[in-house]
Every structure is written in C-alpha cells, then in structure tokens.
Amino acid sequence: MSTGLTRGVTLSGLEGAVVDVEADVSLGLPAFTVTGLADTTVGEARDRIRAAASNAGVPLPSRRLTVNLSPAWMPKSGSAFDLPMVVALLAAAQEVPPSVRGVVHLGELSLDGAVKGVRGVLPCVRAAVEAGHRRIIVPAVNVREARLVEGAQVLGVHHLAEVVAFHRGELLLQPESEGPGDQPVRDELDLVDVAGQGEGRFALEVAAAGGHHLFLSGPPGAGKTMLAERLPGLLPPLPDDQALEVTSIASVMSSEAAPLGLLRRPPYVAMHHGVTMAAMVGGGSGRPSPGAVTAAHRGVLFLDEAPEFASHVLNSLRQPLESGTVTIGRTDRMLTFPARFQLVLAANPCPCGRAVGKGLGCTCTVNQRRGYLGRLAGPLLDRIDLQLSVPAVSRLELVEADPEPTAVVAARVAQARAVAAERYAGERWSLNGEVPPGRLRRGPLRPSRRATRLLDRTLDRGGVTLRGYDRVTRVAWTLADLAGHASPTSDDVDQALTLRGAAEVAA
C-alpha cells in the first residue's frame, strides 16, 4: 500500500482556499482517521465514504485509513470534502492512478455512491483556478454554476463510479469552459400598479439613480411596500464583476444558486421583524455564515414595520451602511462579508397606524406615538438619505392617475447613472451615494456656497448633522444628474433637503 493525493477546496466566508487531501492506507486494525482541523461534517464523512465506495464497486481495504487535510492550521468544513477524500484513499489503495493529484474534486457522496450538489461551488472553482488548478470535477447539478468561472475545465459527474472510470481512462468526460450565460430576468413588478404617490415615486427614482437609502412613513395601505418592491426594477442589470460577486454569494447561501447562469438582476431581500442579529448581519456558531445584509449586496434590503425590529438588530446596520462590509469576529479568525446594499425602511406613524392628518381616528397615547418611531435610533436615521411621509391615496388620485411604467423611469435612472459614472471615472465608486464625505467638501464635487446657503443655515441651527450635510449633498448631485445640470443648483440642494425632511428647520 502507499499514499494518495488530490485536491479539494475549503471556504472561509466567501473566499476559497485549495486544500491538499492526503491519504494513507497502512497495516493495522481497521480504522479511519481524519486530521487537519476538520469540523463535524467532514469527520462524519467516514461512514458515507466507506458505503459509497463499496456501492460504486471499489470498496476500501479493511486497513488503517488516514486522511490528512493540509494545511493543518486552516479550518475545514462542509460535505464537499467527501469526493476528494475517497479519491485520495482510492489512489493510496492503487485503485486509481496517482495523476488524480492534478485534479480538484468537489462533491458530497450519498450512501449509494451518487455525487450530490454542494454549496459554494462558484467561489471554490474561482479559488482553484486562481491557484493554478484548472481541471475540476464537480457534481453534475453544479456544472452550470462552475462553468461561470473563466479558464476552468469543468467535468460533471453523477456517481462515484464515473469518477473512478474517468481516472482509469475507461470513461471520457469532455470539459467545457464556456459558461451558461446570464440567468433570464423574470417579469418585475411595475410602477403602473402604484396609484398616486407622486412624491414617493420621485423619491424612489432618486434613490435608484444615486444608490441612496430610503425611509417611508405613512398609514397602512398607502403603498409603502409596493414602492419598495419596485425599486429593484428601476436598477440597471449588474455588470460582469458585480454579477459574479452576487452569484458567488448566492452560491454560498444556496446549493441552487446559478442553475441558469449569472444573476444580473440586483437582489431584493425583505426581512420579518422577528429576525435575529445573526440572521441580519451574519454569524452563527461554528462556521459564521452570511446574513441578510450580504444576501442583499448590490441590491435592496427592505425592512417593513421597521420600529417592530429589535433595537440591537437595527443598530447593527449602522456599520455596514457606512463601510459596505460587515465583519464577524471569532476567537480564531475574522471574516469580512460584502454588504453594499440600499436600505429601505417603512413604518406606520404610530402603533395603530391612524395618526395621519388631524389624527382623530388614532387610539394611541402621546407617549405611545413618541416611543413607536423613537425605536428608530437617531444615528440610524441619520444614515438614511431620503426620508418622507407617504400619505393615504385619495379617490381622485385613484381615478385620474396615469402613472409612468417602470421602463420609462428606469431609462432616466440609467441615464443619470451614466452621467455619474463618467464623472467618477477612475475612482473606486460610480454612484453619488458612495462618494466619500471628504470629496464632497472640497474640490470640484463641492457645490457653490450660493447653492448650499439654505443647507448651511440648517447645519448651523442643528437641523442636520455633518453626516446629514454630506448625504444631502450626495442627493443634490443625483438631482442635478436627473435634471441635466453640470453641478447642483440651489434648487437641487433645497429639494434634497426637503426629501430628507429637514427643510422646515431652516425656515
């Protein structure tokens, strides 16, 4: 007997790392040992591997079997190590040739030898190709996803017997390097379904054009949720790098991430108010996993009935809103997940929802009204660019309204984004909502003193914080792009201040 070697891939957050899977078959009492900082899932593979190999017609010898996952200091997790472990053992038992060391294997094994799909195939294949390993065997259900990686020679298999036959030269598996293209975009909800709400529709357009966060407050049934659901339809399709990034995230969070290709439509994630902090920002025991803020990366995160969320969950959004990332700390490692999303909050004006107009139908006390919206901490709202009230729709608006469809508004959004992208060519950002504060206060991005006169007065009177000042400036640039202005005018800045709900402070 001898030793065998092949390769697998482990994931740390969203990043993959190639692992050498070494196996030794030696004399001694029958035993199966796995070393190399493997978690419970990898350790449980021992019984699956024995049964799968036997049912594939290549039973493992009744000897002392040792599998080592190198480097030993790196944590290993996931069922994708089933296939490389059994291949390494078969190489050690001389059932397959030593050439398996040049192939990366990914896949979970069932007891009958079938190769089952696994999560995270896309980032795993990317890591393997970047490390110089281009030939990769994956489960057949993950082939389309794996072929999204340029330069990968992907081989799809259904059963362990196919893997053995291929390595023995008895079966030809034809590699294909071309990806499956883009995933078709499904029909989106259309803005024509939203009655009235002219100011809300305009705020939605501004949010889409500049990548701004949005807070909608109004009575039940006014259309807050309908507006939020239609925001992704106004966003342009994701470019190649962002589409691959979003698809990689979906691959880690679901084993059926990309059956039809790259995800071009920005994601939309709506969370229930009972969500935990780990589900919102990521975490969990053992291997930390991404949360809703990462699932909404490059898309929209919608929190309906925002005051009903736990305060610590809402406050956990403050850091990713500023940095575009979220960092999960553990005693042995720090994981950073991307979280560049647009936040949309919706809330009723009070617990009963009837504190509108004169509020005659409201049954809440003054303290209940104050405390309800007070659950949205000031530092969180200070990071929301657009804050406006959404009134109830009148009968006249319902009958006479002739709203624009999503396609018309999306065209204006795309044009405004193109103007911003040209202005920021060569920078790390392309949207007004992502411009660093320092760049807004000096140089060509600083509006004229005449344009910011009302905004400056509002800052002096405490109507906005310095962070709010920067966010109003960002919105003013977006309004200028939509209006075709070379730089924000006083009207653009004043309107941005109004959309933040702070203009009355300067009056």
Side-chain angles (χ1 to χ4, degrees):
M1 298 296 175
S2 61
T3 60
L5 171 66
T6 190
R7 267 86 184 191
V9 182
T10 188
L11 284 175
S12 179
L14 300 177
E15 300 296 326
V18 176
V19 173
D20 290 341
V21 182
E22 306 169 316
D24 177 75
V25 177
S26 58
L27 297 176
L29 294 176
F32 196 144
T33 304
V34 179
T35 63
L37 209 57
D39 72 352
T40 304
T41 305
V42 179
E44 289 177 345
R46 293 172 293 192
D47 294 330
R48 292 197 300 270
I49 286 174
R50 280 194 179 277
S54 177
N55 289 321
V58 281
L60 297 176
S62 298
R63 302 290 182 91
R64 182 175 181 83
L65 309 180
T66 304
V67 174
N68 179 52
L69 307 177
S70 178
W73 57 266
M74 183 184 297
K76 322 298 188 309
S77 60
S79 58
F81 279 101
D82 288 11
L83 189 57
M85 287 169 64
V86 72
V87 170
L89 285 167
L90 292 174
Q94 300 180 0
E95 292 287 348
V96 294
S99 58
V100 296
R101 68 177 57 231
V103 182
V104 174
H105 296 81
L106 301 171
E108 177 184 335
L109 292 175
S110 63
L111 298 181
D112 63 358
V115 181
K116 303 172 67 175
V118 293
R119 295 185 179 186
V121 166
L122 181 54
C124 285
V125 174
R126 289 179 66 185
V129 172
E130 290 172 0
H133 305 285
R134 296 185 176 275
R135 176 162 289 191
I136 306 163
I137 292 180
V138 303
V141 296
N142 295 125
V143 167
R144 285 181 174 269
E145 179 181 342
R147 288 177 182 163
L148 293 172
V149 180
E150 185 177 354
Q153 296 180 336
V154 180
L155 305 173
V157 295
H158 296 85
H159 199 275
L160 177 58
E162 296 178 31
V163 181
V164 174
F166 168 73
H167 287 305
R168 288 176 173 176
E170 301 169 356
L171 176 66
L172 178 63
L173 297 177
Q174 183 64 39
E176 296 185 27
S177 57
E178 294 185 0
D182 299 339
Q183 186 172 106
V185 177
R186 65 182 184 279
D187 293 333
E188 296 290 341
L189 301 172
D190 203 287
L191 276 172
V192 295
D193 300 328
V194 181
Q197 303 304 351
E199 187 177 2
R201 293 167 62 91
F202 180 69
L204 203 69
E205 180 178 344
V206 175
H212 304 292
H213 308 302
L214 177 63
F215 173 50
L216 302 172
S217 175
K224 303 185 296 295
T225 301
M226 292 184 69
L227 287 169
E229 290 175 340
R230 283 150 181 80
L231 179 55
L234 298 181
L235 304 178
L238 298 173
D240 290 344
D241 56 339
Q242 295 182 11
L244 192 59
E245 192 177 21
V246 168
T247 308
S248 295
I249 293 171
S251 174
V252 171
M253 302 184 74
S254 171
S255 60
E256 300 179 354
L260 299 177
L262 283 175
L263 301 174
R264 293 285 184 179
R265 174 60 62 195
Y268 174 80
V269 179
M271 299 302 293
H272 185 266
H273 55 75
V275 66
T276 64
M277 184 185 292
M280 180 65 77
V281 298
S285 59
R287 183 180 67 171
S289 57
V293 297
T294 300
H297 181 60
R298 302 296 180 184
V300 177
L301 175 63
F302 177 52
L303 305 184
D304 199 5
E305 305 294 345
E308 300 293 343
F309 285 75
S311 296
H312 67 283
V313 174
L314 290 174
N315 289 331
S316 68
L317 298 174
R318 287 153 58 175
Q319 184 255 333
L321 284 176
E322 290 289 342
S323 64
T325 61
V326 59
T327 301
I328 308 296
R330 292 294 182 266
T331 56
D332 59 340
R333 53 185 158 166
M334 301 284 287
L335 295 178
T336 299
F337 298 114
R340 182 70 66 184
F341 58 90
Q342 286 185 249
L343 178 64
V344 180
L345 302 176
N348 295 329
C350 67
C352 75
R354 295 193 291 271
V356 292
K358 296 182 179 180
L360 299 179
C362 179
T363 59
C364 305
T365 65
V366 174
N367 288 336
Q368 285 176 326
R369 295 182 191 179
R370 184 181 298 116
Y372 183 69
L373 291 179
R375 298 176 190 175
L376 299 176
L380 175 61
L381 286 182
D382 200 31
R383 290 167 167 82
I384 307 299
D385 308 62
L386 308 170
Q387 305 175 24
L388 68 152
S389 298
V390 179
V393 179
S394 67
R395 183 174 63 87
L396 184 62
E397 290 177 311
L398 188 62
V399 174
E400 297 183 354
D402 186 18
E404 289 181 310
T406 291
V408 174
V409 181
R412 292 198 298 267
V413 168
Q415 184 176 5
R417 285 195 170 211
V419 172
E422 183 178 356
R423 180 169 58 247
Y424 303 133
E427 302 287 359
R428 303 187 313 273
W429 60 87
S430 61
L431 296 175
N432 294 317
E434 299 175 357
V435 180
R439 297 293 295 273
L440 294 168
R441 303 175 198 151
R442 62 179 184 272
L445 293 183
R446 179 180 177 84
S448 67
R449 288 293 184 185
R450 182 177 181 180
T452 61
R453 185 178 303 167
L454 180 62
L455 178 58
D456 293 336
R457 189 161 63 246
T458 306
L459 178 65
D460 292 339
R461 297 185 179 185
V464 294
T465 63
L466 184 57
R467 179 188 289 116
Y469 188 102
D470 294 332
R471 292 190 174 274
V472 170
T473 306
R474 291 182 178 127
V475 174
W477 271 106
T478 300
L479 292 170
D481 293 339
L482 286 169
H485 300 155
S487 62
T489 65
S490 58
D491 289 340
D492 294 328
V493 177
D494 295 351
Q495 188 175 23
L497 196 58
T498 301
L499 288 172
R500 190 175 174 82
E504 66 276 4
V505 179

